[in-house]
Amino acid sequence: IYGEGSMNNLSALAEESDDARALIQETVMSPFMEKVKRYPMGITFETSPWKDQGLFFWKFVLRQVLHSAGLCMFSDKSVESFLDRIKPSNLKQGWLQCRKDYAVFLQKNGRVFVFYPSSFPFGNGRKKGQYNNKSLFLGYGTDNSITVGPWTITSEIAKANSEEAAKALLQTKALRNMEHLMA
């Protein structure tokens, strides 16, 4: 019905398609996926080296990255919004509205943090203010911990041997950076 040689042409096309997939995997996906870091709280990846890529590229790599982490893909509208945030030369750091069920944070340097819903419940369809806990201070130590969502918060007394050491402790942040939070 299709003429002589059609099966050979289809076989050649299938082989070329496999070669194209291998080429994309080697030249596009592998360099991107090598920069993905996995943490107990979620994943991070870089956008700066690829920020000038088009919509197809970002849909392709985001799908791969998010699905490999067990997360659902952003909607098409959210991918476009994501691109609007990562493409400017002067990035604005902040939370991105990509999905309702997990949190996404963009740093000024182009690194994106995607938090697992279990570790950082951003929405999950719950009511606003679901974790408002206006408990009074309970004291110090593990016997006086307070639970807020999936987090257990415990306060402790930090000892300082001098006034200078006490001032240094007061200037110290509980979390050094976002990577420290993710780990």
Side-chain angles (χ1 to χ4, degrees):
I1 242 175
Y2 294 107
E4 288 183 39
S6 62
M7 291 306 287
N8 288 339
N9 290 340
L10 285 175
S11 293
L13 183 61
E15 190 174 319
E16 289 174 3
S17 175
D18 290 343
D19 291 345
R21 179 175 175 73
L23 177 66
I24 293 295
Q25 184 64 37
E26 184 180 323
T27 59
V28 176
M29 289 305 299
S30 290
F32 189 90
M33 294 299 284
E34 287 170 2
K35 301 249 185 222
V36 175
K37 292 184 181 173
R38 298 178 190 286
Y39 296 95
M41 298 252 315
I43 60 172
T44 66
F45 57 90
E46 302 294 332
T47 61
S48 296
W50 299 278
K51 73 179 191 172
D52 294 326
Q53 296 296 326
L55 182 62
F56 177 78
F57 170 86
W58 283 104
K59 282 184 179 181
F60 192 75
V61 297
L62 286 172
R63 184 179 303 112
Q64 184 77 19
V65 168
L66 295 170
H67 286 180
S68 73
L71 299 168
C72 295
M73 175 58 176
F74 302 160
S75 69
D76 288 349
K77 185 177 178 182
S78 293
V79 174
E80 290 174 14
S81 175
F82 177 84
L83 291 178
D84 289 343
R85 288 291 299 273
I86 67 165
K87 287 199 178 250
S89 57
N90 189 14
L91 292 179
K92 182 179 177 188
Q93 181 168 295
W95 296 101
L96 305 179
Q97 294 185 353
C98 297
R99 288 200 53 95
K100 289 184 179 181
D101 54 344
Y102 57 84
V104 180
F105 185 81
L106 172 66
Q107 279 187 328
K108 200 167 183 66
N109 64 3
R111 178 174 286 164
V112 173
F113 294 80
V114 181
F115 292 87
Y116 295 131
S118 60
S119 62
F120 199 94
F122 197 63
N124 294 336
R126 296 184 181 115
K127 294 179 183 175
K128 187 175 183 178
Q130 64 186 333
Y131 297 124
N132 284 349
N133 196 336
K134 300 184 182 194
S135 299
L136 298 175
F137 175 68
L138 300 174
Y140 299 102
T142 55
D143 294 340
N144 296 312
S145 298
I146 186 170
T147 301
V148 181
W151 299 83
T152 300
I153 302 167
T154 304
S155 59
E156 61 184 44
I157 297 175
K159 299 195 188 250
N161 295 333
S162 68
E163 184 76 24
E164 289 176 13
K167 286 180 182 179
L169 280 173
L170 288 173
Q171 298 300 317
T172 305
K173 294 182 178 182
L175 298 170
R176 294 183 298 274
N177 52 39
M178 289 293 280
E179 287 85 4
H180 185 215
L181 173 64
M182 296 290 274

